[in-house]
Amino acid sequence: MSDSVVIEPLGNGPAESQPLPPGVTAEVVREALARVLEADELRPSPQLSNILRFVVEATLDGRQDAIKGYTIAVEALGRDPSFDPQADPIVRVEATRLRRALERYYAGAGAGDDIEIMVPRGSYVPQFRSRREGAGVAPGLAPTLTPGADDIPADAPAATPAADRWRPRWPLIALFALLILAVAAGGVMEALDPLGWRALIAAPEPHPVERANRLGIPMVEVRTFEATGTPTPANASGPPEFDPRALEVRVRDALARFDLVDVLATPDARPAQDCGNAAASSAFSLGGLVENHEDGSVSVLLRLSDVCDGTIVWSREFESLKRGDPTGTEVALVRDIMSAIAEPYGIIQARARARTAAGGGVNAAGPYGCVLLAYGYWRSYAPAEHATARECLERALAADDTFALGHALLAELYLDEMRTGAPAGAPTPALNRALTEAEQAVELAPTSAYARRVLMDVHFFRGERGQAISAGDAAIELNPYDVDVIADVGGRLIAFGDIERGEALLASAHSTAPGAPPWVDYHRVIAAYLRSDVAAASAAADHLMGEGYAPGLLARALAGKLSGEDDAARADLRRLVLLAPAWGTDTDAMIARFFPDPTIAKRVRTDLASLGLPAEAAAR
């Protein structure tokens, strides 16, 4: 394998282009880039892929001097032009993760690639090294430019030349030899005393269940579902019996798709519960009984028990289920079950919240306490509760940056600084901070429907239609049982102008969970308003009785305008401006964020102006 050759720039200007060695062309580098982008190490991460694609193409185009933290943030990550690389470290963080992803790729799936793409530490400008024997680096394509002030400190040590990096170092070899001897000695020790000495020498790896316990997320075990009733003869005609095992597996699978519960693979995996400790996870056990009747119908009885005190906290019987379409029946049934127990307003979270309050409060509940604070704010929308929840999550993430749910919740809280007028936590634009957190949540938990839903919300309020719809579709695919996700995606589609599909999703969610949070009623009001359905808009608006939810006041004002109740609508607008002053000072921008479809925005702008919002906002 050949050594890399680094072309250093003269002075502060860009390096002059040099001819490529034989066989290495820009097209060859682009083919190498395409292979990396399709690899498992980068494909699940759009932000890492965007950064790598940007820096490689910029280098191939001879624009190495444009590769700075600011341009990467704006051109590759979609940040606003107001992005401040000194205040927001997202580029440095993502560059570090990109380097690790490239190292993993070339150590595994890309080990046989002819061209290696490297992003050296201390710079964002990539280098391209030919890995064939006798071949050199693509010299015109591998400059190491002096990074700007937004990239690394001015007094950072210079990068080690590639030839020196590959030169053997005898002290390291000696250290490596000692390490091998230590490993061999450990093997002998294990043979002689597999339990005693080994336990003293090395601490055990943390078990995943112990990690879940430290986060404090409630745990659920699904017991074996039993069957009863009159068995159907093997030679009988008609639909087959309802399989309790199939329902049990589907319920366990559905629960595992929700971020607010940790589902045990088997009941035996549950750790010992410290029921007197508020910081320990709440634990629940779900059992089921399936009864097949002679008339071809099915009944399903479910019971959820609190593992700590043994009490039944929820029980429900689903009767008169039909066996004709067992899969369809199971999906609808499981969605009803999840709405009752797994959603943020379901029985598991309510019980865990009560236990936490009785056992020392959210401050003793670890990261899960921050989760409870966030959802507590979304029940009241009190500004003080927003600040408390935000600060709690920021502290939790400073201690453990891998807390994916924490990143997603924090992104939503940052969004509320814009959409509900909650107090700002930093001078950086809320949408920029929200995007950073949402992308980090998706990166850490790519199978999380909630993280995708939050990313959809961020893209929606940034006016990025395609990215928002893509994230929403991914969220539903990841968890088709989450009625909150279904309702939120439906509401965003309505605001984008796809009213028919959006209302279908919204109606499906509302029929499953009629007691949904206020933002679902907000979407229902907007849908009825856009259809000019006075009765439906007024009925949905009646559910938005709180005075602290800014979007609810907006929806009530529009419903009031539709029904001719202008005085009540003006009163709602006055309260809206008090909560979220941007509606009075920057009306056009707020309308564009909430209603990205131009036709819908024009109608809303006209109606709000007729009710007294700044006239200049309606004159355009």
Side-chain angles (χ1 to χ4, degrees):
M1 187 175 292
S2 62
D3 289 345
S4 298
V5 178
V6 180
I7 304 298
E8 296 288 354
L10 299 176
N12 293 324
E16 297 181 3
S17 179
Q18 301 289 334
L20 300 179
V24 178
T25 65
E27 191 59 35
V28 169
V29 173
R30 288 191 172 97
E31 291 174 0
L33 172 65
R35 286 192 295 272
V36 176
L37 295 178
E38 285 299 313
D40 291 340
E41 288 78 8
L42 267 81
R43 189 173 60 246
S45 174
Q47 56 268 38
L48 295 189
S49 299
N50 290 342
I51 292 175
L52 184 61
R53 185 183 295 108
F54 171 76
V55 298
V56 168
E57 290 295 343
T59 302
L60 295 179
D61 292 342
R63 298 188 298 116
Q64 297 98 319
D65 56 341
I67 302 177
K68 304 291 184 182
Y70 176 81
T71 53
I72 292 173
V74 174
E75 297 187 38
L77 298 180
R79 295 300 194 267
D80 292 340
S82 61
F83 175 81
D84 181 2
Q86 299 295 337
D88 189 340
I90 181 63
V91 177
R92 293 191 294 275
V93 171
E94 295 300 296
T96 299
R97 295 176 53 243
L98 175 59
R99 293 181 187 106
R100 292 172 182 167
L102 290 172
E103 289 171 0
R104 291 195 303 271
Y105 170 72
Y106 287 114
D113 286 8
D114 289 340
I115 299 295
E116 180 177 356
I117 302 174
M118 301 177 292
V119 180
R121 287 171 175 78
S123 174
Y124 300 136
V125 180
Q127 296 180 2
F128 313 109
R129 183 167 60 85
S130 175
R131 307 172 89 198
R132 292 173 297 174
E133 287 296 333
V137 74
L141 303 177
T144 299
L145 301 181
T146 302
D150 60 338
D151 298 333
I152 61 172
D155 58 351
T160 304
D164 287 346
R165 287 200 305 268
W166 288 96
R167 183 176 296 125
R169 289 173 170 80
W170 293 110
L172 291 178
I173 294 177
L175 181 61
F176 184 67
L178 288 175
L179 180 60
I180 292 176
L181 289 174
V183 171
V188 173
M189 188 66 68
E190 182 171 0
L192 294 176
D193 185 7
L195 296 178
W197 283 99
R198 189 174 173 218
L200 291 174
I201 293 173
E205 288 286 329
H207 192 277
V209 171
E210 294 176 3
R211 175 171 175 74
N213 233 7
R214 290 201 301 272
L215 291 177
I217 302 295
M219 293 184 294
V220 182
E221 60 183 22
V222 180
R223 311 293 296 187
T224 301
F225 282 19
E226 304 293 342
T228 187
T230 304
T232 302
N235 59 352
S237 60
E241 288 187 354
F242 209 81
D243 183 3
R245 174 60 180 163
L247 179 60
E248 172 197 331
V249 170
R250 196 178 293 275
V251 167
R252 185 180 288 110
D253 169 74
L255 280 169
R257 296 169 185 257
F258 286 83
D259 291 77
L260 291 179
V261 294
D262 281 326
V263 184
L264 303 181
T266 67
D268 295 335
R270 173 165 49 88
Q273 284 300 110
D274 183 4
C275 294
N277 181 8
S281 301
S282 297
F284 300 89
S285 179
L286 179 67
L289 179 67
V290 175
E291 183 174 6
N292 289 279
H293 301 293
E294 292 181 350
D295 63 0
S297 65
V298 180
S299 297
V300 176
L301 175 65
L302 294 170
R303 287 182 176 177
L304 184 73
S305 303
D306 188 317
V307 170
C308 275
D309 59 20
T311 59
I312 297 174
V313 298
W314 175 82
S315 178
R316 182 174 173 184
E317 184 171 11
F318 299 85
E319 298 181 292
S320 302
L321 303 175
K322 300 301 181 183
R323 296 191 309 208
D325 178 18
T327 300
T329 300
E330 285 177 11
V331 170
L333 174 60
V334 171
R335 186 173 292 168
D336 286 340
I337 296 169
M338 296 303 108
S339 174
I341 67 174
E343 294 285 359
Y345 45 81
I347 185 63
I348 289 177
Q349 299 305 318
R351 183 77 176 188
R353 187 167 55 248
R355 179 174 178 269
T356 299
V362 294
N363 292 329
Y368 181 62
C370 301
V371 175
L372 295 179
L373 287 173
Y375 280 101
Y377 161 71
W378 288 316
R379 287 193 302 273
S380 69
Y381 288 97
E385 293 189 21
H386 177 277
T388 301
R390 186 195 70 236
E391 292 166 1
C392 183
L393 284 168
E394 289 173 342
R395 287 194 303 271
L397 289 169
D400 181 6
D401 193 46
T402 66
F403 184 21
L405 177 58
H407 284 288
L409 294 170
L410 191 57
E412 287 284 5
L413 290 175
Y414 286 159
L415 278 182
D416 281 332
E417 295 175 16
M418 177 274 301
R419 63 187 172 192
T420 69
T428 319
L431 286 175
N432 287 359
R433 286 180 279 124
L435 182 60
T436 298
E437 296 300 328
E439 288 178 340
Q440 186 74 352
V442 170
E443 178 70 21
L444 290 169
T447 61
S448 166
Y450 182 74
R452 299 281 180 172
R453 170 195 162 188
V454 172
L455 185 62
M456 173 195 68
D457 283 347
V458 176
H459 284 310
F460 173 86
F461 284 107
R462 290 170 62 89
E464 297 160 347
R465 176 189 174 95
Q467 291 165 287
I469 292 176
S470 176
D473 288 343
I476 290 180
E477 182 178 355
L478 287 167
N479 192 354
Y481 305 106
D482 191 336
V483 292
D484 272 14
V485 166
I486 294 170
D488 202 20
V489 173
R492 302 310 177 201
L493 289 173
I494 290 168
F496 277 131
D498 192 350
I499 298 177
E500 183 177 356
R501 183 187 171 206
E503 275 210 285
L505 291 173
L506 202 56
S508 171
H510 183 66
S511 64
T512 302
W519 54 264
V520 177
D521 292 315
Y522 163 81
H523 289 319
R524 293 175 59 225
V525 173
I526 298 303
Y529 163 79
L530 294 176
R531 285 189 288 100
S532 298
D533 187 336
V534 176
S538 298
D542 286 343
H543 292 278
L544 293 167
M545 300 306 294
E547 304 300 322
Y549 181 48
L553 293 170
L554 170 65
R556 274 179 19 192
L558 293 174
K561 174 64 180 176
L562 183 65
S563 64
E565 300 175 1
D566 286 11
D567 289 343
R570 291 190 183 95
D572 284 328
L573 284 184
R574 286 193 292 271
R575 286 191 286 269
L576 171 64
V577 172
L578 287 175
L579 280 178
W583 279 104
T585 59
D586 202 1
T587 309
D588 268 352
M590 293 298 284
I591 291 173
R593 297 212 185 280
F594 277 76
F595 305 100
D597 180 79
T599 302
I600 295 174
K602 182 178 180 180
R603 174 178 174 179
V604 171
R605 186 179 297 114
T606 300
D607 284 349
L608 293 182
S610 72
L611 293 171
L613 277 186
E616 62 270 17
R620 301 171 186 168

